[in-house]
Structures are given as C-alpha cells and as structure tokens.
C-alpha cells in the first residue's frame, strides 16, 4: 500500500500535473480501494483541517502586504537604504537578504510568509545588482527556512508541547545552529560574489546616505512597528500580518499616492490566486498525512528501521532522515506533530538530550521544507515569483549541501545547540 | 478583520472572538474558489521539468490527458465534499463564537471543486480543438517563457 | 511507546478485532496513559482477541475532527472533552461553568460517577449524536496562571485572559472583570512571554508540559473548575457488539474509574512540584481561601443563568438536578 501510494504520487508528479493532484489523488485512491468501510468524506474533513490553522492566516495577509509594497514605493525605498550601506561590499546584498529573511522569519514564525514578505522585494534588488534569478530565489528560500530555528519559533513550541522539553531552553538551543547557518550563508555569499564577479556598487557618501535615510523613514517604520509590536506584546504574529497590510495601504495609497484605490482590488485578486494555489496544497498535504497516520505507517517504519538497542547517534541520524523526508512532502508543523511522539521516547531512552533532539528535529523540518522534489517553500516561491518549478530549484543545491554539512555538525556535536544553555 | 481585532483590543481592551472564524471562512472560500481561476490563469504549481523537455507529440497528448484526469479527481473530491457538507448540515453544527451554521463554512469546497473541474475540462477541449499546446490563458507553452 | 514492543512479542498482531481509540493529548499525558491502560485491559480480558491502537493528538486531525470521526465510526473509541462538542450538544457546556463543583476533587469524581443528571440525561443527548459516553472523569482541577497575582476579582481588572472560544467561559471571565481573549494554544506560549495575554487557565499537568510557568510569575490554585472529559464509543458500534464483548468493555471502564483519578492526581502532583522547583523561572504559588473562592462564586452565577436560558432544551433541568446532586454529596 505504501508503494502504491508513493508510486501514484511520483508518476502524477512527473507527468506535470498540477501539484495538488498527486497530493489529493494519492490518499483518495488509498481510501477508496485499500480501506474497507471507510467513509471517503474524511478526505474533505482533513482538507478543511489543513487550512484551518489560525497561524496560516498570516500567509495571505503578508502576501497582500508585500504585493501592495512591491507595487508601490515602500520596498524600493527600504532597499535603497540598505543598499546605500552594504551595496559596495562583496556579497553585501546577499548577506542582507539572509539576515532579513532570518530576522523576519523568526518573527512571523512562518517560513512561507517570509518567502513572500522579504523575498519579493529583495529578489528584485538582487536581480538589479546582477545576481542570477536562480541564485536569488535559492538564497531567499533557504534563508527563510533558517527562521524556524530562531526564537520565537512555532516549530519549537510544537515540539515542546509534544515532547516534555522546555520551550525556553529550546529557544536558546536553536540560536547556536541558526547563527552557524548564517555564517555559512554569509561566507558563501562573499565567495559567490567574488567568483561570479558580481559588480560592486560605488560606495555612497554619508550625506547621500542621510537623504536616503530620511526618504526611507516611513517605510522603516514598518519593520519597527511589526518587530516592536510583537516583542512588546501588542500583537501576535498573525495580527502583525494584519497590521502590515494596514501600514502598507496607508503608506502607498494615502501618503505616497503611488497606488490608486481602484488598483487595490486587482492586487488583492492576485494575492488571492497565490494564496489559493498554496493553500490547496496544504489542504491536500493534510489529507495525505491523515492516511499515513491512520494506516500506522510511521510505526511500521520505525519498527523496521530502528531494530533493537540502537545507539544514540544512530537514532539521531535516523530521526534526521525521517524528518527530512517527511518535510519534503508535508508541512513541517504537521510532521513535527506526528513523528515526534514516535521517535522521542526511543531517542530519550537511548540517552539523547531531549533539547538537542528538538533542535535536530526542527532543523531537519526546516531543511526538508526547502528541498526538492516537494517542499512547501518551493511551491510558495514558485507561486509568488511566478516561476516554473525547475527555475525555483535550480540554484538550491549549494545551500542544501551547506545545510546538510551543518546538520551533520549539529547532530554529532551536541554542544552547538547546548553550549548556550550550559553558560547559564 | 485581524487588523480590526488588534485595533479594537488596543482601543477598548476587548477583542472580537469571531475574527478567527471570519478569517478561517475567508481562507477556505479563497482556497477552493481559486482553483478554477488559477487554472484559467495557469497559476497552479506543477513540476514541469519532464513536460518541458518532452517532444511536442507527447506534450500534446499530456495536455489533453492531464486536464481530463485533473477534472476527474476534482469532480470526485467535489462529490465527497457534497456528502460532507450535507452531513454537517444534518448535524446542525455551528461555529463556536459566531454560532452560524458550519456547513456555510465548507460549502465553498464542493462548489470550488466543480467549477475548477469544469475549467480543466475547458482547457482539455481547447487542446483537442487547437493545434498548439494550450496550458492556460496566460501560458500557451512553457517554451514561450 | 515502550509497551508496543511488548505487544509484538506475544501474538504479533494476530488479534481478531482491531479497534481504534483517539485521544486529545500526546503520549505520556493523562488521556493517552488512560487509553493505553484501557487498551491493555481489554486485550487481557479478551485473551488477545481485541487489539486497540491508540492515536495521539494530531495524528488524525483536530479535536473536532476526532469527534466527527467517532460519529462516522471511522474510529471506534475516543476521549472527547465536552468543550469541543459545545455546538453539537450545547448541554455539555455545563462543564464550562466555574465554581459549580466542590473543591474536593475526590468528591467531584464521585458525583461524576453517580450523577443521574450527567450519566442519564446528558449522556442521552450525546447518544443521539452517535457518541455514547461510557464514563465522565476529571483530568484535574483547573488553575490560573498570570503575569500578576490573581487573588480576588479586583485583580482581573484590565487583565487579558486567554480562554477557549466558549461563550460561557468568556462570560465568566467578563463577570470577574477580565478581558477574555481567544488564542490558539500554538501561539499561547509566545503570547504569554511577550505579554499579548496576561494569563491562562489549565490543569497543572498541562501548564507544566507546555511550559507556561516558564513565562508566568504567578500560579493561583483556584480550583475554579475541573477539566472534565468523557470516554466515548460510537453508539451503533457498541450496540451491534455481542453481550460478552460489551461486558468486557464495561468491566474495563469500571476498572479505569479509580485509575483515571490516580493518573491525574499523580501527574498534577508531580507538575506542581516541578513548577515549584523550577527556580530559574520562579513562580509564586498562591492558594485561594474559601472566602476568596466565595467572592468569585457569586460573580460566576451569572454564567449559570445564561446557561439555563441558552444551553439547549434540557439545560435547566440538567443543571438543577446536578446542583442538587452535588449538594447531596457535600452533605454526606
Ligand atoms: Na515540506
Ligand atoms: Na515562572
């Protein structure tokens, strides 16, 4: 049954079907032909469930806000400002992108929302400076995923609830690996810029920087309000998404007057299509994961794979593999919810630190989300940038190699995640 | 609605408990009603790598078979969605805060699936009638990009 | 999950019947432990003919999905909290009323076991929806945590209280003067940490598991309510079973009554100890006095009237009968 399911999905995928079809048809066929007496409407119930999470509402709102800002002047002024300070450095823009995605992603808690909100304006700027589109998109997708490791990470919160680990400890433990990845990405950005000889912009004199700063003052209020609002507790990440729409609207329509009111419905429609294309996949993914759980496939697999008395390191690698593969197909949050209870007891018994395990799991979940052939962030980027699937994944291999290296380091040296905890 | 929630919380210190429900409704309606529109505009996400490198006759065959099977899957899901929606209607389940019928929340799914299926059938028909490979209104063939 | 390997040794899944049991909590938490022990009892009593797989929260969808799956017979057994069926069986909202039960949890469990209002009249309402309650039981008393101390209704002035989305719970907190706010649990830890909400309510084991004490300075042992849940079976499925099989289930349910109380008592006790001993995230623990509870109880009566009028056809009858039963139990 497992092979039928995967076989159907891969064949449909390769035939170039819309991605929603393999995700929906796979579980549908299993329910209709392999499970006796099962009411097929369960399929629909789970599709509704998949898109019912309150956290997901942030995604279309950030898409809408980003669409407004990219149609208007906000993002241009913001990036003018950043560019005036780092544009003349090697890989400066790429490093800024990585930092901005990591920062924003940690706040929004959604890797997909980050791809949209930072990725969209930043990509245009990277292209203008001379980056190839494929490397720009790859940089954006992978930087956004690192966000899952930086507090306040929703992935960590869910792991903490499922396991017995402390949320606060997990937050601290995620910082080490997060910073390590950022260092890798920044070094790569520097080398990449040198090898491909990305032209350096001339250094901007301080007086001009001041002018650009003043012009960017209002747009700069955007991150200040969003970040400040969340950290001072004025609003949750989902509400911050709503505020960002309001801010973008006030700025572009009322203050800059760069967008006419009658253009807004068109922008909303475009945001709506992107939302629909992504959410239908999230819905199908939930139906798929329900069938997998109901058939007890994860339990069958762990019995077959783990065997008797495995070592801690072996378990960690197996866990990493399962989460990595799982998150290539399904939303990381769902994978964490389903797989953690299966692996955590075995791992803890073999002597794995539960905090360390959480970091490894969330790390792999983030990595899997950006790894072909599936990966929710790839779909999101494909929809948002209106690029074909192949264009989106073309530039990702170097990042996946870097992330794999870091994940081996994190698995083998538990101090990377635990050293900050030991300091306190 | 979420904006309103924050504003009202900041101003009056109370919050709209139904904000989440309205947002959820909007997400469900947008997701499923969007299937057809995204199909017409060619905005559904697909892994087109193999399709792109296929010879034209293969492409032509796929461009007829794919929308047909897609429509079939959507009609099947749509049929079960009708049963699901009717089941909900019969239990009289309501939403927690606004207490409006839950079936109104999910009725967009069968409707969206059927309209989406019809759009894919139209795409198939265009490929049967015309010679070139038609993907969607704004995408005749990926080669053109 | 370590007992799963034990199961494989004797019989290797050669059971005649494979049933499914969903719970609303994750491995190791009260409901999950209950379901596992229930499954073991049934397997034992049937000499291995009946195997029950327990599905932890999340495996088959949300709590509301699990209710629907029980109704459809996709799963045979489920632990369902009345809080998630409020729109289906409005009378079940009775358990959202605060300061209705006693603060002696053992006495409360005795009422839950024996009450005619609950086990006959309320159960009937569920059976009509294909949900047959086999036992009503408590997962422990609900307590408050806050960024500031909560000792009297005055402390709730301007206080952002996170609750579930139930009109009755919202009304109760409004009556105390708080601003109740609905928020998904996945956002709650961050919400408390960053101050988007000031406090929340849960049984101790859940507070400790989710780490809410790490980001809250005060814990009030308020016993303002208890978290009531039900062990349920699909009505048609149960009625179609032969008498022998039904009695296996009934016996296991009876044996689990005392066990469920022990499981929650043990977990909540351990949780309180862990919270008190977490010295790097200190939490001030305060227990309400009887006078302080009385202050809240008076304000809570408004929600009771609201329930009588809006809690469904038989709300008034069930509530009045239950209040009599509680008084009777207290009198003994
Ligand atoms: Na994924
Ligand atoms: Na504390």
């Amino acid at each position: 049954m497992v092979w039928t399911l995967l076989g159907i999905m891969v064949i449909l995928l390769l035939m170039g079907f819309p991605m929603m079809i393999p995700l929906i048809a796979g579980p549908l066929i299993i329910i209709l032909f392999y499970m006796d007496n099962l009411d097929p409407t369960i399929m629909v119930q789970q599709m509704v469930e998949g898109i019912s999470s309150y956290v997901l509402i942030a995604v279309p709102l950030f898409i809408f806000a980003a669409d407004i800002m990219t149609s208007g002047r906000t993002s241009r002024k913001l990036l003018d400002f950043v560019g005036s300070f780092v544009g003349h450095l090697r890989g400066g823009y790429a490093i800024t992108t990585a930092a901005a995605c990591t920062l924003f992603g940690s706040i929004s808690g959604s890797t997909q929302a980050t791809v949209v909100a930072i990725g969209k304006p930043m990509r245009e700027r990277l292209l203008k400076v001379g980056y190839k589109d494929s490397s720009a998109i790859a940089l954006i997708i992978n930087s956004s995923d690192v966000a899952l490791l930086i507090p306040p990470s929703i992935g960590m919160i869910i792991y903490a609830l499922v396991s017995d680990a402390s949320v606060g400890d997990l937050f601290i433990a995620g910082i080490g690996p997060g910073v390590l990845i950022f260092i890798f990405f920044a070094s790569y950005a520097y080398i990449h810029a040198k090898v491909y000889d990305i032209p350096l912009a001339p250094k901007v004199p301080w007086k001009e920087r001041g002018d650009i700063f003043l012009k960017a003052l209002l747009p700069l209020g955007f991150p200040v309000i969003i970040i400040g609002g969340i950290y001072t507790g004025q609003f949750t990440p989902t509400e911050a998404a709503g505020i960002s729409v309001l801010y973008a609207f006030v700025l572009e329509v009322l203050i800059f007057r760069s967008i006419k009111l009658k253009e807004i419905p068109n922008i909303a429609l475009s945001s709506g299509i992107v939302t629909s294309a992504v959410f239908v996949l999230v819905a199908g993914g939930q139906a798929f994961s329900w069938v997998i759980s109901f058939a007890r496939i994860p339990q069958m697999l762990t019995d077959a794979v783990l065997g008797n008395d495995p070592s801690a390191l072996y378990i960690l690698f197996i866990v990493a593999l399962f989460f990595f593969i799982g998150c290539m197909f399904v939303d990381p949050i769902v994978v964490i919810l389903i797989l953690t209870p299966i692996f955590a007891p075995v791992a803890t018994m073999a002597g794995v630190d539960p905090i360390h395990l959480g970091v490894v799991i969330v790390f792999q979940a983030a990595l899997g989300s950006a790894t072909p052939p599936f990966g929710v962030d790839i779909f999101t980027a494909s929809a948002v940038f209106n690029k074909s699937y192949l264009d989106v994944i073309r530039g990702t291999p170097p990042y996946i190699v870097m992330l794999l290296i870091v994940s081996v380091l994190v698995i083998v040296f538990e101090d990377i995640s635990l050293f900050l905890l030991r300091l306190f | 609605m979420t904006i309103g929630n924050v504003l009202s919380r900041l101003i009056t210190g109370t919050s709209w408990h139904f904000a989440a429900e309205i947002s959820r409704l909007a997400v469900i309606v947008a997701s499923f009603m969007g299937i057809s529109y995204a199909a017409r505009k060619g905005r559904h996400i697909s892994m087109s790598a193999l399709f792109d490198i296929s010879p034209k006759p293969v492409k032509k065959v796929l461009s007829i078979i794919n929308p047909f099977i897609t429509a079939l899957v959507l009609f099947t899901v749509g049929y079960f969605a009708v049963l699901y929606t009717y089941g909900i209607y019969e239990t009289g389940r309501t939403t927690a805060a606004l207490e409006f019928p839950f079936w109104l929340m999910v009725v967009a799914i069968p409707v969206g699936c059927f309209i989406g299926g019809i759009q894919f059938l139209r795409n198939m028909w265009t490929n049967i009638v015309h010679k070139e490979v038609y993907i969607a209104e704004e995408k005749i063939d990926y080669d053109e990009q | 999950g370590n007992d799963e390997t034990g199961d494989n040794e004797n019989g290797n899944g050669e059971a005649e019947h494979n049933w499914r049991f969903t719970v609303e909590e994750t491995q190791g938490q009260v409901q999950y432990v209950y379901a596992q022990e229930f499954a073991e009892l049934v397997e034992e009593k049937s000499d291995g003919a009946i195997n029950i797989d327990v599905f932890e929260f999340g495996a088959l969808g949300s709590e509301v999905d699990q209710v629907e799956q029980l109704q459809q017979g996709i799963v045979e057994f489920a632990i369902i909290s009345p809080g998630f069926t409020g729109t289906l069986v409005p009378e079940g909202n009775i358990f959202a009323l605060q300061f209705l039960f006693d603060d002696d949890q053992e006495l409360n469990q005795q009422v839950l076991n024996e009450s005619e209002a609950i086990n006959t009249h309320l159960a009937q309402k569920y059976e009509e929806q294909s949900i047959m309650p086999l036992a009503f039981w408590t997962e422990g008393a609900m307590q408050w945590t806050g960024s500031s101390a909560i000792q009297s209704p005055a402390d709730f002035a301007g206080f952002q209280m996170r609750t579930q989305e139930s009109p009755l719970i919202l009304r109760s907190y409004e009556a105390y003067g708080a601003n109740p706010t609905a928020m998904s649990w996945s956002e709650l830890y961050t919400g408390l940490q960053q101050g988007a909400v000031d406090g929340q309510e849960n049984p101790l084991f859940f507070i400790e598991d989710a780490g809410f004490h790490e980001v809250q300075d005060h814990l009030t042992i308020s016993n303002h309510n208890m978290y009531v849940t039900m062990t349920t079976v699909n009505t048609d499925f149960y009625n179609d079973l032969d008498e022998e099989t039904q009695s296996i289930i009934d016996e296991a349910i009876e044996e689990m009554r005392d066990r469920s109380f022990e499981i929650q008592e043990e977990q909540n006790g351990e949780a309180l100890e862990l919270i008190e001993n977490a010295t790097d995230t200190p939490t001030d623990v305060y227990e309400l006095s009887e006078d302080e509870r009385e202050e809240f109880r008076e304000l809570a009566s408004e929600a009771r009237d609201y329930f009588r009028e809006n809690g469904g056809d038989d709300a008034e009858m069930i509530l009045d009968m239950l209040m009599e039963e509680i008084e009777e139990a207290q009198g003994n």
Side-chain angles (χ1 to χ4, degrees):
Chain A
M1 183 180 75
V2 185
W3 299 117
T4 316
L5 179 63
L6 291 179
I8 292 168
M9 293 175 73
V10 171
I11 290 171
L12 291 176
L13 190 71
L14 293 180
M15 281 173 74
F17 274 90
M19 203 74 83
M20 64 179 174
I21 293 304
L23 272 176
I24 294 173
L28 188 63
I29 288 170
I30 295 296
I31 288 175
L32 288 180
F33 300 110
Y34 282 82
M35 292 178 168
D36 293 340
N37 309 321
L38 197 60
D39 185 340
T41 60
I42 184 70
M43 204 41 220
V44 183
Q45 183 207 60
Q46 287 305 303
M47 289 173 75
V48 174
E49 170 61 20
I51 51 176
S52 289
S53 155
Y54 187 61
V55 181
L56 269 182
I57 295 164
V59 178
L61 290 174
F62 276 126
I63 292 178
F64 190 34
D67 277 348
I68 295 176
M69 285 189 286
T70 42
S71 313
R73 290 186 206 148
T74 306
S75 48
R76 214 181 62 213
K77 287 184 190 226
L78 262 185
L79 298 174
D80 275 344
F81 170 71
V82 177
S84 76
F85 282 86
V86 298
H88 62 287
L89 303 172
R90 280 253 177 247
Y93 271 102
I95 295 169
T96 312
T97 308
C101 283
T102 307
L103 187 69
F104 186 85
S106 73
I107 294 155
S108 74
S110 157
T111 58
Q112 296 172 62
T114 311
V115 168
V116 177
I118 299 292
K120 215 171 170 184
M122 206 63 206
R123 167 170 166 256
E124 285 173 9
R125 191 47 56 110
L126 285 165
L127 294 183
K128 206 178 271 174
V129 183
Y131 282 89
K132 278 200 305 196
D133 202 10
S134 58
S135 31
I137 292 177
L139 173 69
I140 290 162
I141 296 177
N142 288 284
S143 306
S144 303
D145 275 332
V146 178
L148 213 54
L149 282 167
I150 309 284
S153 142
I154 288 176
M156 297 279 193
I157 293 171
I158 285 169
Y159 171 82
L161 196 101
V162 181
S163 71
D164 265 340
S166 133
V167 181
D169 288 356
L170 277 166
F171 280 179
I172 295 172
I175 295 173
V179 170
L180 189 62
I181 296 167
F182 178 73
I183 292 171
F184 264 80
F185 282 8
S187 316
Y188 175 77
Y190 178 82
I191 296 165
H192 177 271
K194 206 156 190 167
V195 170
Y196 287 86
D197 201 23
I198 307 281
L200 297 180
K203 196 169 174 173
V204 182
W206 276 101
K207 191 189 165 296
E208 211 171 306
R209 281 180 186 172
D211 288 347
I212 294 173
F213 171 73
L214 285 181
K215 278 187 192 150
L217 207 53
L218 278 176
L220 273 174
F222 173 70
V224 171
I225 288 179
I226 300 302
I227 297 172
I230 291 177
Y231 276 107
T232 57
Q234 289 306 309
F235 28 85
T236 65
T238 310
E239 292 166 345
I243 292 288
S244 72
V245 171
L246 187 68
Y247 197 86
F249 179 84
V250 169
L251 219 56
E252 297 293 354
V253 179
L254 302 181
I255 298 177
F256 295 156
R257 294 177 187 277
S258 53
I259 300 177
K260 292 194 186 74
L261 196 57
K262 65 174 189 223
E263 292 172 58
I264 290 288
N266 265 333
I267 298 175
L269 189 61
S270 162
S271 313
I273 296 181
V274 175
T275 305
S276 163
V278 173
F279 279 19
V280 168
L281 294 182
V282 178
Q286 176 67 26
F288 169 76
S289 86
W290 188 91
V291 168
I292 293 275
S293 311
F294 190 75
R296 301 239 122 189
I297 289 172
Q299 284 82 352
M300 281 165 18
L301 289 179
T302 48
D303 278 355
V305 172
L306 285 178
N308 288 328
D309 201 21
S311 78
L313 200 62
Y314 176 70
I315 288 187
L316 274 179
F317 273 105
I318 292 291
V319 167
L321 189 70
F322 269 77
F323 275 85
F324 174 64
I325 294 174
C327 292
M328 281 163 62
F329 294 89
V330 196
D331 186 78
I333 302 302
V334 177
V335 178
I336 293 172
L337 267 175
I338 292 172
L339 289 188
T340 304
I342 297 165
F343 284 107
V346 195
T348 320
M349 233 185 312
V352 179
D353 184 293
I355 301 291
H356 182 52
L357 180 70
V359 172
V360 170
I361 282 176
V362 176
F363 190 114
Q364 295 305 321
L367 176 50
S369 310
T371 306
F374 293 86
V376 282
D377 296 328
I378 298 174
F379 304 149
T380 311
S382 171
V384 169
F385 304 138
N386 199 12
K387 297 296 276 186
S388 81
Y389 177 84
L390 206 60
D391 285 340
V392 172
I393 64 166
R394 190 171 286 134
T396 54
Y399 292 96
I400 291 167
V401 170
M402 280 187 280
L403 288 168
L404 283 175
I405 294 171
V406 178
S407 69
V408 171
L409 290 176
V410 170
I411 288 172
V412 177
F413 303 105
E414 64 169 22
D415 276 340
I416 296 175
S417 43
L418 300 182
F419 84 98
L420 275 176
L421 277 174
R422 292 188 177 134
L423 283 181
F424 293 117
Chain B
M1 195 49 77
T2 313
I3 305 169
N5 196 8
V6 178
L7 286 182
S8 93
R9 206 164 75 193
L10 289 175
I11 296 163
T12 67
T14 59
S15 97
W16 300 349
H17 302 291
F18 48 81
E21 280 173 15
I22 298 286
S23 311
R24 189 175 169 199
L25 176 68
V27 165
I28 293 175
V29 170
S31 301
F32 284 88
M33 299 307 282
I35 291 180
S36 146
Y37 197 71
R40 203 164 81 213
K41 298 285 177 188
R43 294 291 286 272
H44 276 293
I45 303 150
S46 63
M47 197 177 85
S48 55
L50 275 190
F51 183 90
D52 289 350
I53 55 169
S54 300
K56 194 154 183 210
V58 176
K59 267 190 186 171
K60 188 72 202 172
V61 172
L62 285 178
S63 72
I64 293 170
I65 293 177
N66 284 10
F68 177 70
I69 295 180
T70 302
L72 207 65
V73 171
L74 287 176
F75 286 141
T76 312
V77 174
Y79 169 71
F80 292 129
V82 170
L83 296 184
Y84 177 74
T85 310
Y86 185 69
I88 299 268
Y89 171 78
E90 278 201 313
T91 63
R93 178 178 156 195
T94 58
T95 64
L98 283 181
E99 301 189 16
F100 77 82
F102 192 80
W103 71 270
L104 282 174
M105 199 102 162
V106 295
V107 74
I109 301 175
V111 176
C113 285
F114 282 121
I115 299 178
I118 290 167
Q119 180 59 42
F120 277 102
L121 285 184
R122 281 178 60 189
N123 288 4
M124 178 188 79
W125 184 245
T126 313
N127 274 304
I128 292 173
V129 182
H130 293 92
K131 238 184 143 180
E132 78 270 28
V133 176
Y134 173 89
I135 313 265
E137 218 171 68
E138 291 170 3
K139 265 188 193 171
I140 300 306
D141 189 341
Y142 288 97
D143 291 346
E144 319 282 311
Q145 278 196 327
Chain C
N2 44 346
D3 38 4
E4 272 170 23
T5 33
D7 283 351
N8 289 343
E9 279 162 17
N10 49 15
N12 233 345
E14 285 302 308
E16 266 171 65
H17 305 282
N18 278 298
W19 296 341
R20 297 177 174 87
F21 194 149
T22 59
V23 299
E24 297 162 341
E25 290 167 10
T26 56
Q27 289 199 17
Q29 293 185 320
V30 175
Q31 290 187 6
Y32 192 89
V33 175
Y34 175 101
Q36 285 249 287
E37 290 191 15
F38 175 79
E40 279 161 30
L41 277 177
V42 170
E43 193 188 329
E44 221 171 84
K45 288 175 191 294
S46 67
D47 291 324
I50 301 170
N51 169 58
I52 300 181
D53 282 329
V54 180
F55 289 80
E56 69 278 354
F57 174 70
L60 299 183
S62 71
E63 295 92 342
V64 177
D65 291 346
Q66 292 176 5
V67 175
E68 285 180 16
Q69 288 169 27
L70 182 90
Q71 290 177 296
Q72 292 169 302
I74 288 175
V75 299
E76 286 81 8
F77 293 87
I79 293 180
I80 293 175
S81 300
F84 295 108
T85 59
T87 61
L88 209 57
V89 182
E91 288 87 350
N93 284 325
I94 195 167
F95 297 113
L97 293 172
Q98 305 189 351
F99 296 99
L100 174 67
F101 283 87
D102 201 79
D103 51 354
D104 175 357
Q105 300 306 318
E106 222 157 340
L107 183 137
N108 291 340
Q109 183 58 54
Q110 186 202 324
V111 172
L112 287 178
N113 287 343
E114 293 164 6
S115 157
E116 185 194 335
I118 291 172
N119 294 291
T120 306
H121 299 292
L122 181 59
Q124 173 62 31
K125 294 280 163 192
Y126 279 101
E127 278 172 45
E128 287 166 10
Q129 301 282 353
S130 303
I131 303 167
M132 181 189 276
L134 296 170
F136 288 83
W137 50 281
T138 172
E139 289 184 55
M142 305 269 278
Q143 320 295 3
W144 290 321
T145 69
S147 53
S148 53
I150 309 164
Q151 300 174 1
S152 72
D155 294 330
F156 268 129
F159 190 96
Q160 300 281 349
M161 184 72 183
R162 182 268 176 181
T163 73
Q164 287 170 303
E165 284 206 33
S166 145
L168 271 182
I169 301 180
L170 297 174
R171 283 191 103 81
S172 302
Y173 284 105
E174 274 163 11
Y176 303 151
N179 301 323
T181 303
M183 180 183 278
S184 136
W185 64 260
S186 63
E187 287 187 345
L188 183 52
Y189 183 94
T190 316
L192 290 168
Q193 187 178 40
Q194 297 168 347
V197 287
D198 301 317
Q200 57 88 40
E201 53 161 24
N202 262 306
L204 288 168
F205 82 92
F206 196 88
I207 293 173
E208 200 279 326
D209 253 4
F212 296 145
H213 64 290
E214 294 170 10
V215 287
Q216 294 269 270
D217 295 332
H218 298 272
L219 168 67
T220 303
I221 304 295
S222 51
N223 293 334
H224 61 277
N225 197 359
M226 56 177 170
Y227 194 93
V228 174
T229 197
M230 321 180 275
T231 310
T232 66
V233 63
N234 177 283
T235 309
D236 292 338
F237 166 79
Y238 181 86
N239 288 335
D240 289 346
L241 291 173
D242 57 57
E243 267 176 40
E244 196 190 336
T245 315
Q246 284 182 351
S247 67
I248 288 177
I249 295 172
D250 297 347
E251 277 172 33
I253 288 288
E254 286 313 312
E255 286 177 39
M256 286 309 293
R257 281 192 199 275
D258 287 344
R259 267 305 288 154
S260 69
F261 194 79
E262 284 166 22
I263 296 169
Q264 65 83 18
E265 207 172 32
E266 198 178 297
Q267 289 212 9
N268 286 310
E270 272 173 23
L272 182 58
E273 224 169 274
L274 285 169
I275 292 171
E276 283 174 330
N277 292 342
T279 43
D280 47 339
T281 54
T283 309
D284 191 43
V285 181
Y286 180 81
E287 188 165 352
L288 290 188
S289 69
E290 195 39 51
D291 286 349
E292 286 161 341
R293 283 170 55 80
E294 198 49 48
E295 264 186 88
F296 284 107
R297 187 175 287 125
E298 271 166 35
L299 294 170
S301 69
E302 194 206 315
R304 240 172 260 179
D305 297 336
Y306 180 82
F307 174 75
R308 279 194 180 90
E309 274 165 43
N310 304 289
D313 300 339
D314 292 333
E316 184 159 12
M317 181 266 285
I318 292 176
L319 177 60
D320 291 339
M321 188 186 285
L322 178 64
M323 285 172 69
E324 254 171 57
E325 288 167 339
I326 294 171
E327 250 171 62
E328 213 171 285
Q330 284 166 332
N332 286 341

